[in-house]
Amino acid sequence: MNTAMDSSIIIKGIGAYTPDRVLTNSDLAHMVDTSDEWIQSRTGIKERRIAADNESCSDMATKAAEKAIKNAGLTAQDIDMIIVATITPDMPFPSTACLVQKQLGISPIPCFDVEAACSGFLYILDIASSMLKTGNYKNALIIGAEKLSSILDWEDRSTCVLFGDGAGAAVLSISDCANVGIIGTRLAANGNDAKILYMPGGGSTCPASVQSINDRQHYLKMLGKEVFKSAVKVMEQSTIDMLREYNLNADEISCFIPHQANIRIIESFSTRMKIPMERIPVNLDRYGNTSAASIPLALDEALNNNKIKNGDYVLMIAFGAGLTWASTLLKWHC
Ligand code: ACO
């Protein structure tokens, strides 16, 4: 007898949302001591989207979710759980997932957030597919959404030029087709590197105070070079491990979707793994690093640009604060 445990879990629908406001490198050069030339040559970023002041993380998440649900051919009432990956929730609690549930008008279902920074979308993809495999749920809505502009220090040129806002969502469902959809996911973290990318203020060790605000503790802090070195290492190792585990070689993967942080990290991955850039979609030039939204935004764009066909293997690879990292192998479904 076929059980949910043996079924395939597929991405039945995907949706993306980015705010209208475009912030170019030239705009940034009027705000901090930087230049379009420096930003493009060091990162590949040309512009990024910035949410409106009254536009929250849950607003962006809901807009991406509505598209994913429609794209899946479902209605909001078909959704059995909502998981949001974000480091910029609307507020510490309740979860952004609950606020999305309210906006979508869905009756009681499990809703919660996961905090794994830029690896967040692949973390929730694994959690949701494990929950679907219990047989207790049919359709899971997973969303990577970030309003990073709300935690950037707009006086720190070493970080504020790198990030942007946006959201990407997917509906995961059980499929009757065998051996398609999510083939495998590997998640990892190393908390020893927690302080190379973090936000010191706002939690229980450093609650908001006049002092913490004066000390600029409520902004993202990063040791860029350290993150860069780790990113190159874990992206390559995650890919090698995943290919070995599933007895595939890199030529058999039609599309690699890396976390969109820096073109130099992606090009280094391409060179070291001997994977042509044509098989690695890039959108960071237009969106910057959108953390948990980065992978679903890039996947949505790759599908819209017909870079992924039925039967193709797709490998998604992420790294982020924690440090966390993750990889997911998909076989695009029938
Ligand atoms: N404009 C002009 N100059 C700048 C800027 C800027 N925006 N930022 C830094 N500089 C200067 C520095 O002050 C330094 O000057 P100095 O030599 O006089 O001291 C010089 O440029 C070189 O700075 P570096 O930090 O050495 O520059 P680097 O080549 O390492 O690039 C960067 C910095 C782009 C941040 C890179 O290290 C990087 O991309 N790191 C990875 C970041 C990342 O991937 N984060 C992803 C995780 S995000 C998440 O999980 C939320």
Side-chain angles (χ1 to χ4, degrees):
M1 190 181 74
N2 219 25
T3 65
M5 213 61 195
D6 310 315
S7 311
S8 299
I9 308 293
I10 58 164
I11 295 183
K12 195 168 179 150
I14 185 144
Y17 171 80
T18 50
D20 291 337
R21 184 177 164 209
V22 175
L23 185 71
T24 65
N25 292 347
S26 309
D27 295 333
L28 277 164
H30 290 106
M31 297 160 62
V32 286
D33 182 13
T34 191
S35 65
D36 179 42
E37 194 283 321
W38 192 96
I39 302 171
Q40 279 207 49
S41 62
R42 296 291 177 122
T43 71
I45 299 166
K46 295 180 181 162
E47 59 187 40
R48 69 288 292 140
R49 300 299 179 97
I50 303 293
D53 289 347
N54 63 354
E55 190 172 36
S56 65
C57 180
S58 66
D59 293 335
M60 292 189 283
T62 303
K63 287 188 175 130
E66 284 167 343
K67 289 186 193 166
I69 294 167
K70 189 167 176 217
N71 190 241
L74 299 174
T75 70
Q77 298 314 321
D78 296 315
I79 299 299
D80 301 311
M81 77 176 86
I82 303 174
I83 315 179
V84 174
T86 186
I87 54 168
T88 48
D90 285 23
M91 53 194 88
F93 64 88
S95 70
T96 299
C98 287
L99 302 174
V100 171
Q101 178 200 19
K102 177 176 185 285
Q103 290 205 44
L104 291 174
I106 303 178
S107 42
I109 51 167
C111 297
F112 58 95
D113 290 0
V114 168
E115 207 267 59
C118 306
S119 311
F121 188 76
L122 299 187
Y123 266 64
I124 61 175
L125 192 133
D126 197 33
I127 294 166
S129 52
S130 305
M131 288 176 74
L132 288 172
K133 288 206 167 211
T134 63
N136 294 333
Y137 311 95
K138 284 203 179 90
N139 303 301
L141 174 61
I142 60 167
I143 313 165
E146 301 287 8
K147 187 173 176 177
L148 293 164
S149 58
S150 67
I151 59 161
L152 292 178
D153 184 345
W154 291 102
E155 293 180 12
D156 175 11
R157 67 178 183 172
S158 70
T159 52
C160 75
V161 303
L162 303 175
F163 299 93
D165 299 334
V171 175
L172 301 187
S173 304
I174 297 174
S175 161
D176 293 334
C177 301
N179 303 320
V180 292
I182 299 162
I183 305 292
T185 297
R186 294 291 165 263
L187 310 179
N190 178 8
N192 290 325
D193 287 334
K195 290 207 172 162
I196 66 175
L197 178 53
Y198 75 129
M199 189 169 95
S204 53
T205 53
C206 177
S209 65
V210 172
Q211 187 66 44
S212 74
I213 289 167
N214 288 342
D215 291 346
R216 308 186 82 73
Q217 298 293 295
H218 300 273
Y219 294 122
L220 176 152
K221 316 273 181 201
M222 181 170 74
L223 296 175
K225 271 195 198 312
E226 301 310 312
V227 178
F228 194 105
K229 279 188 262 174
S230 296
V232 168
K233 210 163 59 192
V234 300
M235 280 186 48
E236 187 178 335
Q237 197 55 53
S238 305
T239 302
I240 291 169
D241 291 348
M242 194 59 108
L243 294 176
R244 190 173 294 145
E245 186 168 349
Y246 290 95
N247 204 18
L248 292 165
N249 64 57
D251 293 341
E252 292 172 90
I253 309 292
S254 307
C255 190
F256 290 83
I257 310 239
H259 171 47
Q260 306 279 316
N262 185 318
I263 194 67
R264 290 189 295 141
I265 295 175
I266 295 175
E267 284 173 351
S268 156
F269 170 75
S270 155
T271 307
R272 291 163 68 103
M273 294 295 300
K274 300 189 175 53
I275 298 163
M277 282 300 286
E278 297 77 63
R279 281 195 278 141
I280 311 179
V282 171
N283 68 12
L284 61 83
D285 51 326
R286 284 157 290 132
Y287 301 124
N289 179 348
T290 55
S291 192
S294 151
I295 294 232
L297 283 177
L299 178 62
D300 177 75
E301 196 168 281
L303 285 162
N304 288 336
N305 292 338
N306 298 317
K307 293 205 167 157
I308 300 169
K309 301 182 297 300
N310 285 346
D312 280 355
Y313 279 113
V314 177
L315 184 59
M316 306 187 278
I317 321 124
F319 63 90
L323 287 184
T324 56
W325 59 97
S327 54
T328 300
L329 179 66
L330 290 175
K331 187 166 191 188
W332 204 255
H333 45 79
C334 54

